[in-house]
């Protein structure tokens, strides 16, 4: 076809098109493409939501958004939500009466110490009755408690931001990191021997920093600008927080029948934007170790990062392995692991507010830091989220590790692992209960097909116990600490009695939170559950 014939065809096409369109108003011709683009955008958003949340949850969210447009409906829903929030608070508002809302005209001086003691005396009795929470054994007035308190007090005024002044604290931090890294595979040839890290305020900050570093490292290495990460549904909620903070798309993948991360399911979600996959050792809900070895192989084969959450297991698993427990690979000895978070303030028995984030090498860790060159206050660089950090907590962590040593941690691990086994054995002897999966460490989760497990939890609460309610499946767990060594028989007795009470008298007790937990688990509109939690937090803090 030559140029003249092509031109002739184009002229005929234009004439035909103009003739066809002449029957429409110009405004229609103007709006049609815009409306088409709008419909396409809405459809794309809907399909993205379906892929991320599933059709059912997306449809329910759309339905609830639509029904709220009906006059009076939204007001009614808000009123009902407030009733639930008020019940969840359980008297918190009344306890705020008499709280200080401004500085006293005249200071209390040393008398403030008596005031502190008075307020502390009003706290709930927690000794031996809490899941996790306090990991140090014994009394607050003696032993390891006393040692940690003295170490913190000695360095309470220090701040590692000022390295030139508080050189002792800088050394303590470096040594805590080095000792922790040595526990988690840095001495193994497979790790490369270059493990490094920093101390943080807790497991959440450690996870936040690991995610941020992975995002920036993968952006620098592979040019990823629309980052995504993949986690099992059992992974800690800190990853959700990181996804929101750092604008990362988060994929939550179902676990397998053993409640472990499903490697095949995770693999299906990996694409060119994947910056990070996650495993836990163990996971918070059920105390089960994910298949870190397989996850490492998956990460290596796809060139992505792998973070292992050892916030609970970091100071137990290395010693449980030495004691002969069948612990699968979990640390930097696994090829493919790029970062690890481990809390020193849990089974490390350090003061609250101490955790460590570790990286396989400095090339990854440097993406954690924030450097500012154009500030009028001078050149600035900071390793963690916080600028100023409490040197007293770092000193307390160092004191914990040095005072206990390997022998101390071995002894503690032996004690809590034996308690965990005793609790598992005792629960199996209660016919109405079953254990979730096969716990690898010191967290034991259990549910029931016979009685409402949340009602059992309420009865246990009335006996002074503070356990953790879980969902999907509905269950509760106890995280064993040294506080439980002396009370394991009491726990099992109270649990048997609580199950029997609920079995004989089914239905929530007055003031019970069981209906709320149960309803939240069954509520199809997860957006409404989210709003309930936000409203509760907003009215509590």
């Amino acid at each position: 076809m030559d140029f003249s014939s092509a031109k002739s065809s184009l002229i005929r096409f234009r004439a035909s098109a103009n003739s066809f369109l002449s029957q429409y108003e110009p405004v229609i011709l103007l709006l049609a493409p815009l409306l088409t683009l709008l419909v396409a955008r809405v459809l794309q958003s809907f399909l993205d939501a379906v892929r991320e949340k599933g059709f059912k949850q997306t449809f329910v969210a759309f339905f609830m958004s639509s029904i709220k447009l009906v006059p009076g409906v939204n007001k009614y829903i808000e009123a009902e939500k407030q009733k639930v929030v008020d019940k969840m608070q359980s008297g918190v508002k009344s306890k705020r009466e008499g709280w200080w809302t401004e500085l006293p005209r005249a200071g209390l001086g040393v008398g403030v110490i008596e005031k502190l003691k008075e307020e502390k005396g009003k706290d709930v009795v927690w000794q031996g009755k809490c899941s996790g929470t306090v990991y140090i054994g014994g009394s607050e007035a003696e032993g390891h408690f006393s040692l940690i308190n003295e170490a913190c007090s000695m360095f309470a005024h220090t701040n590692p931001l000022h390295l030139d002044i508080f050189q002792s604290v800088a050394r303590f931090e470096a040594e805590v990191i080095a000792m922790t890294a040595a526990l988690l595979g840095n001495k193994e040839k497979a790790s490369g021997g270059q493990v490094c890290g920093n101390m943080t305020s807790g497991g959440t900050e450690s996870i936040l920093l690991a995610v941020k570093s992975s995002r920036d490292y993968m952006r620098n290495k592979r040019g990823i600008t629309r980052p995504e990460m993949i986690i099992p549904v059992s992974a800690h909620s800190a990853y959700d927080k990181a996804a929101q903070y750092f604008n990362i798309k988060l994929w939550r993948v179902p676990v397998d029948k053993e409640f472990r991360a499903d490697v095949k399911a995770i693999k299906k979600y990996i694409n060119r934007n994947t910056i990070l996959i996650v495993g836990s050792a163990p996971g918070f809900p059920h105390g089960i170790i994910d298949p870190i070895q397989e996850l490492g192989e998956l990460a290596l084969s796809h060139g992505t990062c792998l973070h292992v959450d050892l916030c609970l297991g970091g100071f137990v698993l290395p010693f449980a392995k030495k004691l002969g427990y069948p612990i699968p690979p979990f640390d930097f000895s696994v090829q493919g692991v790029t970062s690890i978070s481990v809390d020193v303030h849990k089974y490390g028995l350090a003061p609250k507010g101490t955790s460590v984030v570790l990286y396989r090498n400095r090339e990854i860790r440097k993406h954690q830091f924030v450097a500012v060159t154009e500030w009028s206050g001078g050149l600035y660089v900071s390793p963690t989220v916080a600028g100023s950090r409490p040197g007293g907590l770092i000193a307390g962590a160092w004191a914990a590790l040095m005072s206990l040593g390997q022998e101390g941690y071995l002894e503690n691990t032996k004690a809590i692992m034996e308690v965990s086994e005793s609790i598992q054995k005792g629960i199996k002897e209660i016919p109405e209960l079953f254990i979730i999966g096969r716990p690898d460490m010191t967290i034991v989760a259990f549910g029931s097909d016979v009685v409402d497990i949340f009602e059992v939890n309420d009865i246990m609460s009335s006996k002074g116990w503070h356990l953790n309610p879980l969902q999907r499946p509905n269950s509760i767990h106890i995280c064993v600490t040294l506080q439980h060594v002396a009370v394991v028989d009491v726990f099992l007795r109270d649990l048997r009695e609580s199950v029997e009470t609920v079995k004989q008298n089914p239905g929530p007790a007055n003031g019970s939170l069981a209906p709320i937990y149960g309803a939240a688990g069954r509520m199809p509109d997860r957006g409404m559950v989210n709003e309930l939690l936000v409203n509760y937090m907003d009215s509590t803090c």
Side-chain angles (χ1 to χ4, degrees), residues 161-190:
L161 181 66
H162 306 288
L163 293 174
D164 55 331
I165 300 173
F166 303 114
Q167 297 175 30
S168 56
V169 174
R171 174 180 173 174
F172 295 153
E173 179 173 15
E175 291 185 353
V176 168
I177 293 163
M179 287 186 277
T180 305
L183 281 177
L184 301 178
N186 190 39
K187 299 297 183 181
E188 301 291 331
K189 185 177 179 180

Side-chain angles (χ1 to χ4, degrees), residues 128-386:
K129 292 272 188 161
C130 294
S131 172
T133 312
V134 179
Y135 291 76
I136 302 172
S139 165
E140 286 183 274
E142 58 188 15
H144 193 76
F145 272 113
S146 180
L147 182 148
I148 294 303
N149 290 340
E150 185 173 352
C152 290
S153 176
M154 192 183 305
F155 289 87
H157 61 286
T158 64
N159 181 356
L161 181 66
H162 306 288
L163 293 174
D164 55 331
I165 300 173
F166 303 114
Q167 297 175 30
S168 56
V169 174
R171 174 180 173 174
F172 295 153
E173 179 173 15
E175 291 185 353
V176 168
I177 293 163
M179 287 186 277
T180 305
L183 281 177
L184 301 178
N186 190 39
K187 299 297 183 181
E188 301 291 331
K189 185 177 179 180
S191 73
Q194 300 297 315
V195 176
C196 55
N198 291 93
M199 289 192 69
T200 72
S201 61
T204 292
E205 186 185 357
S206 290
I207 288 172
L208 288 174
L209 289 172
V211 172
K212 188 265 184 192
S213 302
S214 300
R215 182 198 67 176
D216 294 355
Y217 172 70
M218 293 298 285
R219 180 172 57 200
N220 182 65
K221 182 181 177 183
R222 291 176 46 185
I224 295 176
T225 56
R226 300 179 64 185
E228 301 181 12
M229 64 176 168
I230 309 163
I231 67 175
V233 293
S234 56
H236 198 275
S237 55
Y239 298 103
D240 294 79
K241 187 179 289 188
Q244 293 183 37
Y245 283 3
F246 304 134
N247 195 27
I248 298 171
K249 190 167 189 175
L250 179 69
W251 297 106
R252 276 193 172 273
V253 178
V255 291
D256 64 19
K257 294 179 180 179
E258 297 296 324
F259 295 90
R260 305 193 316 160
D262 189 328
V263 179
K264 290 182 179 179
I266 290 174
K267 183 178 180 180
K268 292 178 181 178
Y269 280 82
I270 294 179
N271 58 42
R272 65 174 182 269
N273 290 321
T274 303
I275 61 159
L276 180 69
I277 61 176
V278 166
S280 304
F284 168 81
H286 313 121
I288 296 170
I289 299 174
D290 288 329
I292 306 302
Q293 185 80 51
E294 290 88 341
L295 288 171
E297 293 170 0
L298 183 63
L300 275 178
S301 65
H302 287 82
T304 192
C305 294
L306 167 61
H307 180 76
V308 179
D309 181 2
L310 273 162
C311 288
L312 279 163
F315 282 87
V316 174
L317 296 181
F319 301 104
K321 188 175 180 179
K322 286 186 177 181
L323 290 169
Y325 286 92
I327 305 298
F330 59 87
D331 57 18
F332 284 111
S333 63
V334 176
Q335 292 290 333
V337 174
T338 52
S339 57
I340 285 176
S341 51
V342 50
D343 284 355
V344 197
H345 65 206
K346 288 189 173 75
Y347 291 107
L349 307 189
K352 290 299 180 185
T354 52
S355 179
V356 170
V357 58
L358 298 171
Y359 300 94
R360 182 170 286 274
N361 53 53
R362 295 178 184 275
E363 182 185 359
I364 304 172
R365 186 181 68 155
K366 70 180 182 181
H367 294 281
Q368 173 185 293
F369 305 151
V370 172
V372 181
T373 61
E374 306 306 312
W375 180 35
S376 59
L379 299 177
Y380 177 88
V381 62
S382 174
T384 61
V385 173

Side-chain angles (χ1 to χ4, degrees), residues 364-421:
I364 304 172
R365 186 181 68 155
K366 70 180 182 181
H367 294 281
Q368 173 185 293
F369 305 151
V370 172
V372 181
T373 61
E374 306 306 312
W375 180 35
S376 59
L379 299 177
Y380 177 88
V381 62
S382 174
T384 61
V385 173
S388 292
R389 293 182 293 149
L393 296 183
I394 294 172
W398 185 86
L401 270 63
M402 294 295 288
S403 66
L404 289 165
Q406 293 189 34
E407 292 181 358
Y409 285 114
L410 278 168
E411 182 181 338
N412 291 339
T413 299
K414 183 176 185 293
I416 57 177
M417 290 294 281
E418 289 176 351
V419 170
S420 176
E421 291 175 332

